[in-house]
Amino acid sequence: RENNLKSINKRGMTYLMTEMADGKPIHFLNRSVGGISIPEYKEIITSDHSQETGNQEINYMDSLCEKLKAGNTIAVLSEDELKNIDFKSGKKKPENEDSEDSKSKISADTGSGTGDDSSEENMYLTDKNAFFIKPDLNVGMGCRKGKTREELLKELKESFVENNLNLRFIKSISSAEIKKDEKGLKELASRLNVPLHFYTSGELNETIEANGGKENFKTSEFVGQTAGVPSVSEASALRTGGKLILRKRAANGITVSIAREEN
């Protein structure tokens, strides 16, 4: 909680909590951008804050997988690592392999193996490691009245697929205050388990002015007349925090913008 991290495999969490209770050594590996603070359990936890990249270490993804195969590791993974590791085989995915996870398909738990084959070669990396990510994507959304959760999720997924992003890294969803009673938006945020923010037209207009004025935004005269602000999705995403990496994408009466926070 202190580091705004999200657990992505409860299976490994349960295993490691038992190991820690028994005083077993735990390795902490931070591969995300930015510093992570951890409790000072010096007698239990050893830390590795390495920030190796492909240019600094040959076969760095393979090296990471080898470290994880040893188990008993709490790892904060980057978006690229989550996308490129085969958690079942414990190997780097082939470069030409289309990953469902990279296409933002949400699964309840990365470690969903049955455990029928417990050999080391086929052991899920999630069985004996706890994986975390640091969500950093703030999504701004606008929509016509009455849009359902399914319709909103469809456009959100397509926006993420088109930009090679992962839905798990969503930190928040936001919109204009005029949309605060939209059931679809509330259900979408609940489905993704992220906070939902609504901003007044004054707050969004303030954000627009602070970012160079209307000429720097994809505006709509109709939205300006109805919502009191010419840009809902872009201004909402920026208001929550970060730099726009997806400007307004409009389809089927739904707009999506994405801002990435800089650590």
Side-chain angles (χ1 to χ4, degrees), residues 105-135:
K105 182 176 180 180
I106 296 179
S107 59
D109 189 333
T110 307
S112 55
T114 62
D116 294 335
D117 187 344
S118 58
S119 66
E120 183 177 350
E121 181 64 25
N122 292 289
M123 182 67 71
Y124 280 76
L125 291 183
T126 49
D127 287 348
K128 294 185 177 181
N129 298 298
F131 294 117
F132 291 84
I133 59 174
K134 191 169 187 177

Side-chain angles (χ1 to χ4, degrees), residues 46-217:
T46 58
S47 300
D48 178 357
H49 295 274
S50 63
Q51 290 292 319
E52 299 149 337
T53 67
N55 293 327
Q56 295 171 315
E57 179 188 338
I58 298 176
N59 299 323
Y60 116 96
M61 194 69 73
D62 291 327
S63 173
L64 172 60
C65 288
E66 287 303 311
K67 291 179 181 179
L68 295 175
K69 279 184 179 180
N72 279 38
T73 295
I74 299 172
V76 184
L77 300 179
S78 70
E79 191 169 353
D80 282 342
E81 289 161 345
L82 188 65
K83 184 167 54 182
N84 292 316
I85 293 175
D86 184 336
F87 287 90
K88 184 174 182 180
S89 71
K91 299 178 181 178
K92 181 178 73 171
K93 290 179 180 174
E95 291 184 6
N96 61 351
E97 179 180 320
D98 287 331
S99 163
E100 285 299 320
D101 195 53
S102 71
K103 295 185 184 309
S104 302
K105 182 176 180 180
I106 296 179
S107 59
D109 189 333
T110 307
S112 55
T114 62
D116 294 335
D117 187 344
S118 58
S119 66
E120 183 177 350
E121 181 64 25
N122 292 289
M123 182 67 71
Y124 280 76
L125 291 183
T126 49
D127 287 348
K128 294 185 177 181
N129 298 298
F131 294 117
F132 291 84
I133 59 174
K134 191 169 187 177
D136 59 358
L137 301 177
N138 292 313
V139 175
M141 297 189 76
C143 64
R144 292 177 188 160
K145 187 175 182 180
K147 289 294 181 180
T148 65
R149 180 189 75 176
E150 290 72 22
E151 290 174 308
L152 293 165
L153 182 57
K154 177 179 180 294
E155 298 306 326
L156 183 60
K157 281 185 175 181
E158 291 187 3
S159 298
F160 271 61
V161 168
E162 290 169 4
N163 291 276
N164 198 28
L165 298 171
N166 190 309
L167 286 174
R168 282 179 169 146
F169 283 80
I170 295 178
K171 185 176 182 179
S172 72
I173 296 175
S174 59
S175 189
E177 189 178 43
I178 194 173
K179 297 297 177 182
K180 66 180 180 180
D181 294 323
E182 287 292 331
K183 182 180 178 182
L185 282 173
K186 293 178 181 179
E187 291 181 348
L188 176 65
S190 177
R191 166 71 173 83
L192 297 176
N193 192 29
V194 297
L196 177 62
H197 307 297
F198 293 103
Y199 299 112
T200 66
S201 59
E203 289 173 323
L204 295 181
N205 280 315
E206 181 181 85
T207 298
I208 290 172
E209 289 303 313
N211 286 274
K214 291 192 296 183
E215 57 270 23
N216 289 329
F217 289 76

Side-chain angles (χ1 to χ4, degrees), residues 137-143 156 159-160 170 172-176 185 197 199 232-240 244 246-249 254-259:
L137 301 177
N138 292 313
V139 175
M141 297 189 76
C143 64
L156 183 60
S159 298
F160 271 61
I170 295 178
S172 72
I173 296 175
S174 59
S175 189
L185 282 173
H197 307 297
Y199 299 112
V232 170
S233 64
E234 289 183 344
S236 296
L238 281 172
R239 183 80 188 188
T240 306
L244 280 180
L246 172 63
R247 303 197 73 87
K248 184 175 73 173
R249 175 191 184 275
I254 296 168
T255 59
V256 178
S257 298
I258 304 170

